[in-house]
């Protein structure tokens, strides 16, 4: 039977181990060996975190089904969603970066939002741990550096500015949804997830191993 030590925290940089203590809002716990940030006081409870994650899911759907930009030239019209913009890279000189682009701006954000909905949805029900909790938490930590919605938005804005001198360009609902997703994914996916171990540990029967 596996035992979870939810009262301990390990520095990701030097492997020093510390006992987790409660922090006041705005406080940060740092490693005494390398001064790296161990964890921060969470400003969001589970309900608020889940609500923002649901909002991020809605923004993600809109960004992928609504046009990001609409282009008009001599009576001809064209439009593309975020997904279509990434897929278009596969047909041209930029084909080698099509897959990394799709992963960074679509697949990774989708996985982050889905995993958070899964974990937080169960945690809200009396502090329960979702099935596959350990794997989900590891994946959330591993995916964090690979989400680059802000890079996609910057690329879209640069393209719009360049195209506006040659054709008529109008922003679509997708670009506003992408901007909202950029803000929301930063808030929900960059939170310190370590406290969820302790929070969900309270809702498990004594003696039950971590899942």
């Amino acid at each position: 039977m596996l035992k979870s030590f939810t009262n301990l925290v390990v520095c990701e940089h030097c492997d020093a181990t510390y006992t987790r203590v409660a922090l006041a809002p705005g406080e940060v716990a740092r490693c005494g060996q390398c001064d790296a940030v161990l964890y921060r006081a969470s400003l969001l409870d589970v309900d608020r975190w889940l609500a923002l994650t649901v909002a991020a899911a809605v923004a993600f759907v809109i960004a992928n089904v609504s046009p990001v930009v609409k282009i008009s030239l001599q009576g001809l019209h064209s439009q593309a969603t975020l997904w279509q913009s990434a897929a278009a890279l596969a047909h041209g000189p930029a084909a080698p970066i099509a897959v990394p682009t799709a992963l960074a701006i679509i697949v990774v954000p989708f996985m982050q939002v889905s995993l958070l909905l899964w974990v937080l949805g169960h945690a809200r029900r009396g502090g329960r741990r979702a099935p596959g909790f350990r794997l989900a938490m590891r994946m959330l930590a591993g995916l964090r550096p690979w989400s680059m919605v802000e890079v996609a938005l910057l690329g879209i804005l640069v393209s719009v500015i360049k195209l506006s001198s040659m054709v008529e360009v109008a922003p679509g609902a997708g670009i506003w949804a992408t901007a909202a997703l950029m803000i929301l994914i930063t808030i929900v996916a960059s939170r310190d997830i370590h406290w969820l171990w302790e929070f969900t540990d309270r809702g498990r029967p004594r003696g039950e191993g971590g899942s």
Side-chain angles (χ1 to χ4, degrees):
M1 181 179 295
L2 296 176
K3 182 176 178 60
S4 299
F5 295 92
T6 57
N7 62 323
L8 300 179
V9 58
V10 179
C11 178
E12 298 178 355
H13 299 273
C14 67
D15 294 332
T17 304
Y18 301 90
T19 300
R20 180 181 289 271
V21 297
L23 298 179
E27 288 187 336
V28 178
R30 291 185 177 275
C31 176
Q33 300 291 333
C34 63
D35 200 40
V37 174
L38 296 174
Y39 58 96
R40 302 175 185 271
S42 179
L43 300 178
L44 298 176
D45 57 17
V46 170
D47 289 339
R48 292 171 181 167
W49 197 354
L50 179 59
L52 288 173
T53 304
V54 171
V58 173
F60 179 85
V61 172
I62 296 175
N64 281 276
V65 300
S66 300
V68 176
V69 292
K70 300 177 182 179
I71 301 175
S72 302
L73 176 63
Q74 298 179 351
L76 299 177
H77 305 278
S78 180
Q79 59 187 26
T81 63
L82 188 63
W83 174 261
Q84 291 171 335
S85 301
L89 292 175
H91 307 285
I97 66 170
V99 172
T101 299
L103 288 173
I105 69 175
I106 298 174
V107 178
V108 171
F110 171 78
M111 294 181 66
Q112 287 179 306
V113 171
S114 299
L115 289 170
L116 281 171
L117 287 174
W118 179 251
V119 172
L120 294 172
H122 282 79
R124 188 177 181 275
R125 299 167 59 186
R128 294 177 54 185
R129 283 191 177 178
F133 180 82
R134 289 177 179 271
L135 178 60
M137 294 290 281
R138 292 192 185 100
M139 291 182 67
L140 283 171
L143 289 171
R144 184 175 296 173
W146 301 102
S147 179
M148 301 181 184
V149 179
E150 65 279 3
V151 177
L153 182 61
L154 179 61
I156 292 171
L157 293 176
V158 171
S159 299
V160 168
I161 293 173
K162 288 187 176 182
L163 289 173
S164 61
S165 61
M166 299 178 289
V167 296
E168 183 180 346
V169 181
I175 196 169
W176 305 114
T178 302
L181 177 62
M182 177 191 69
I183 297 172
L184 290 169
I185 203 74
T186 300
I187 295 174
V188 302
S190 64
R191 310 305 303 174
D192 177 26
I193 62 175
H194 294 89
W195 69 273
L196 280 174
W197 289 93
E198 181 180 0
F199 180 84
T200 55
D201 193 58
R202 302 169 189 165
R204 294 187 302 152
R206 182 170 295 182
E208 180 184 340
S211 58

